[in-house]
Amino acid sequence: MDVINPVMWSVHVGFAVLWVGSVLFVTLAVLPPALRGDIGGDALGSVVGRLRWITRIAAVAFVLSGGHMAGNLYTFEALTGTPRGHLVLTMLGLWFVGTGLVEVAGSKLADGLDAGKLREPARDAKPFLYGASAVSVGLIVTAGLLASPTLF
């Protein structure tokens, strides 16, 4: 049992870094050229496809690792009645919202690319990717607060 907790923690943090980095990369580095029409549809489709798969695989990793950590570190009362528990629940809510935003953005981009368009689907996906990026930054801030040994 002493080995499984650090493994779960590492899996959780590793996938969080991968997912947040991927969302921010697509939003900040891939979306602007797509909005200008400066990126090929195949390249954009490949990047969006990878983002969607990273999001889905990370969801499984988060459920398994986060569920393990929450089950070992918190009771229901601790999750609902302490500041640290509230941060964990905040992270859970932010993650659900962020995942949904990425899926909607990915769907809009994929549908538009399938129709042979580029700029229009990029414009349609833009608010969802911006929202997912804001949520991902919120997750990092929340994780930092949760990781602080002196805050609570």
Side-chain angles (χ1 to χ4, degrees):
M1 193 64 152
D2 290 339
V3 173
I4 193 80
N5 288 334
V7 168
M8 289 294 141
W9 181 262
S10 297
V11 167
H12 199 77
V13 170
F15 273 99
V17 168
L18 175 64
W19 185 74
V20 167
S22 297
V23 170
L24 292 174
F25 175 77
V26 170
T27 302
L28 300 173
V30 177
L31 184 62
L35 290 166
R36 293 188 306 267
D38 292 343
I39 187 172
D42 289 342
L44 181 59
S46 177
V47 170
V48 169
R50 286 199 172 107
L51 175 61
R52 292 174 88 183
W53 274 110
I54 288 168
T55 298
R56 293 167 185 171
I57 293 168
V60 173
F62 291 148
V63 167
L64 295 176
S65 61
H68 173 80
M69 290 187 300
N72 283 312
L73 298 173
Y74 299 95
T75 62
F76 179 77
E77 292 78 20
L79 281 173
T80 59
T82 66
R84 293 183 68 76
H86 293 159
L87 287 174
V88 170
L89 294 175
T90 298
M91 289 185 81
L92 183 63
L94 288 171
W95 170 69
F96 274 120
V97 170
T99 298
L101 290 169
V102 168
E103 285 297 326
V104 170
S107 179
K108 288 186 175 297
L109 283 163
D111 291 348
L113 290 171
D114 288 345
K117 298 178 181 180
L118 179 65
R119 290 181 188 162
E120 181 182 340
R123 276 192 307 271
D124 292 344
K126 181 179 173 180
F128 297 98
L129 286 172
Y130 279 13
S133 292
V135 166
S136 68
V137 170
L139 278 165
I140 296 301
V141 170
T142 305
L145 293 170
L146 191 59
S148 173
T150 59
L151 190 59
F152 301 105

